[in-house]
Amino acid sequence: MAWDWEFTGRIIPDLLSGLVVTVQATVLGYALALVLGLAVALVRRVPVVGPLLHAVMEFIRCTPLLVQLVFVFTLAPGGISAFTIGFLVLGVHYAAYTAEVYRSGIEGVPPGQWEASRALSLPAHRTWGAVVLPQAVRRVIPALGNYLIAMFKDTPLLFAITVGELMYQASRIGGVYFRYLEAMTLVGLFFLLVSVPSAVLIRRLERRYAAV
Amino acid sequence: MPQSDLLPGGAPGAGGPLIRFDGVVKRFGANTVLDELDFTVDAGERVTLIGPSGSGKTTILRLLMTLEKVTGGVIWVNGEPLSHMRGKGGLVRAGEKHQREVRKRIGMVFQQFNLFPNMTVRQNVTEGPIHSLGVSRDEANQRAEELLDLVGLGEKIDAHPTRLSGGQQQRVAIARALAMRPEILLLDEVTSALDPELVSGVLDVLRGIAESTDITMLCVTHEMHFARDVSHRVLMFDQGKIVEEGPPEQIFGDPREERTRTFLHAVLDHG
Ligand SMILES: Nc1ncnc2c1ncn2[C@@H]1O[C@H](COP(=O)(O)OP(=O)(O)O)[C@@H](O)[C@H]1O
Ligand SMILES: [Mg+2]
């Protein structure tokens, strides 16, 4: 099968609209993973509720994202769009990972920082908000960045629940014209075009926050 | 050194000692570090704790700072039980709120400085006054400026601690502790982590504070000259017990106990 440039030109607009959906799902899912993961990391320190939550998160990490997507999509009440379900499941799934990242960041803050906060009689919200979390988050920025790229590369799974993202568009085009070569090549290319610069950026952040 | 009201004073004369350890026991697992320890410190008194590594000196300061809990016995500060509070039927273990209140009267300077690296020098010094004492930002800032001048770091007020030398960081930590106007200042080997050439700058600042205020000091140090200069009384510890105590001239000049003599020889040989 030879490469058809004219066909390539025709399918680009549809693929770009798919890429927009992919990016939207990633951004929303990632924002949810960042916030929810932090909340989970904090609640995990609470007695009784913490271990329970930990078990739930362990369960989420131990089952495939694809299964979770299809499961929630099937059980969700009507009226919720596939896109909404898609980014919510992505966000919750990745929150199970970011929670661990935050936890390691919090544990990495030296005991002396807690002790100095205590010696100054700081209230809990200042100890957490002004001393511990700023230092904890700073040291895990690179690890969090890696999950952004990982999540981005997982978005094609949304295809399974009919979200009109990049992969969905490509296979739709393939199905209509019986040509997959151009569309799938472009999908790979688009992913590379976003992933590689992001990875470079994250390596830079890594170097910048390596100190302290 | 200014004599002003810049620096905190001693305790209001409540009569009786400011600090009293009353049969204090501290165990870590099976390791008994302090076994029924009794001693008192008067308001305005400067006491130096000396003794070999592992004899429990840090533990005593950490108990006072409520960074550790007593296993048994009671610590009294200004007639108030530190680790306990008056409940029905006698003393009960103190809750977090009670401890926060008592803790405000006590400041601590750590061996490793423990400055907040994510804050500027100014924020380090104003954080406690603003957020735990409820002092206004203007007042806290003004006090931070005065205290940083006092420790010779006025021009570093907007620097980040990581940019400062160890000696400078420790002087910021001293200013941070004093900003809380504590009645009691705890100093745990505050020059041990410093390069030798930076030690005297920190000790000079502490000498100045000792001379110009009547703040009560509990000081763990291996700097025997400093201890001799500033302290009213020296306590020699070994294995969680006070082996010998007395004025610095006597402890350093004419120690009675063999244990004290060997310890001082060992320290002086290395210093
Ligand atoms: N957090 C801790 N857990 C277990 N053991 C401890 C802890 N802190 C101190 N210790 C033990 O308590 C003893 C006294 O320690 P410390 O008070 O630091 O002595 P010093 O300051 O005189 O060197 C040592 O045997 C030490 O190992
Ligand atoms: Mg010690």
Side-chain angles (χ1 to χ4, degrees), chain A residues 12 21 62 87 89 105-106 130-131 137-138 142 149 160-161 183 193 199 206:
Chain A
I12 280 186
V21 175
C62 290
F87 88 75
V89 172
I106 291 167
V131 178
V137 169
R138 195 187 156 94
I149 294 181
I161 59 167
L193 281 179
E206 207 156 19

Side-chain angles (χ1 to χ4, degrees), chain B residues 44-50 187 206-207 210-211 215 217-221 223-235 246-252:
Chain B
E45 201 181 7
R46 294 188 291 274
V47 176
T48 297
L49 282 54
I50 62 170
L187 304 161
L206 291 175
R207 273 196 190 91
E211 279 163 20
I215 190 167
M217 280 192 192
L218 255 75
C219 174
V220 175
T221 184
E223 299 291 335
M224 297 305 166
H225 282 288
F226 172 74
R228 192 192 295 244
D229 293 350
V230 303
S231 45
H232 298 117
R233 189 155 54 104
V234 177
L235 305 182
E249 303 76 39
Q250 183 248 305
I251 297 285
F252 297 124

Side-chain angles (χ1 to χ4, degrees), chain A residues 110-127 129-135 138 212, chain B residues 62 65-67 96 99-100 103-104 106-108 110 114-119 124 127-128 131-132 162 176 180:
Chain A
Q113 295 292 306
W114 293 93
E115 294 176 357
S117 306
R118 224 171 134 79
L120 292 175
S121 265
L122 296 186
H125 77 272
R126 290 304 292 180
T127 302
V131 178
V132 175
L133 286 181
Q135 294 181 51
R138 195 187 156 94
V212 180
Chain B
R62 289 174 59 86
M65 195 66 257
T66 66
L67 298 175
E96 178 60 26
Q99 295 215 356
R100 266 194 66 201
R103 212 187 284 144
K104 283 180 187 170
I106 306 175
M108 183 160 184
F110 301 88
N114 296 348
L115 293 177
F116 304 129
N118 58 317
M119 298 183 189
N124 266 278
E127 177 70 24
H131 294 285
S132 92
T162 42
R176 178 174 73 172
M180 296 289 288

Side-chain angles (χ1 to χ4, degrees), chain B residues 28 31 33 52-59 68:
Chain B
F28 292 105
N31 180 10
V33 177
S53 173
S55 58
K57 307 179 297 294
T58 294
T59 302
E68 303 282 358

Side-chain angles (χ1 to χ4, degrees), chain B residues 75-259:
Chain B
I75 299 171
W76 302 82
V77 175
N78 220 348
E80 285 276 317
L82 174 66
S83 44
H84 297 66
M85 52 198 206
R86 293 172 205 278
K88 43 182 187 291
L91 295 178
V92 295
R93 276 198 182 273
E96 178 60 26
K97 195 154 170 267
H98 173 87
Q99 295 215 356
R100 266 194 66 201
E101 285 310 308
V102 190
R103 212 187 284 144
K104 283 180 187 170
R105 303 190 185 146
I106 306 175
M108 183 160 184
V109 182
F110 301 88
Q111 188 175 342
Q112 298 295 341
F113 332 135
N114 296 348
L115 293 177
F116 304 129
N118 58 317
M119 298 183 189
T120 62
V121 166
R122 179 196 300 275
Q123 289 167 325
N124 266 278
V125 181
T126 56
E127 177 70 24
I130 293 173
H131 294 285
S132 92
L133 300 182
V135 167
S136 78
R137 194 166 291 272
D138 284 347
E139 196 185 327
N141 264 317
Q142 193 192 338
R143 188 160 165 75
E145 284 160 21
E146 289 167 354
L147 282 167
L148 287 166
D149 281 339
L150 181 84
V151 300
L153 290 172
E155 79 284 12
K156 299 286 187 191
I157 190 161
D158 290 311
H160 272 271
T162 42
R163 304 244 157 227
L164 303 182
S165 75
Q168 290 172 328
Q169 290 191 45
Q170 194 58 298
R171 284 186 275 152
V172 173
I174 292 167
R176 178 174 73 172
L178 292 176
M180 296 289 288
R181 297 181 189 270
E183 291 166 34
I184 302 166
L185 187 61
L186 308 174
L187 304 161
D188 189 11
E189 297 199 37
V190 296
T191 57
S192 298
L194 300 180
D195 292 335
E197 73 272 18
L198 301 177
V199 169
S200 66
V202 171
L203 294 183
D204 286 346
V205 164
L206 291 175
R207 273 196 190 91
I209 291 162
E211 279 163 20
S212 63
T213 71
D214 54 357
I215 190 167
T216 307
M217 280 192 192
L218 255 75
C219 174
V220 175
T221 184
H222 294 304
E223 299 291 335
M224 297 305 166
H225 282 288
F226 172 74
R228 192 192 295 244
D229 293 350
V230 303
S231 45
H232 298 117
R233 189 155 54 104
V234 177
L235 305 182
M236 164 74 197
F237 281 86
D238 192 22
Q239 298 182 353
K241 290 200 169 59
I242 297 173
V243 175
E244 179 170 5
E245 67 170 287
E249 303 76 39
Q250 183 248 305
I251 297 285
F252 297 124
D254 179 25
R256 290 194 188 104
E257 300 292 326
E258 183 53 35
R259 191 70 197 86

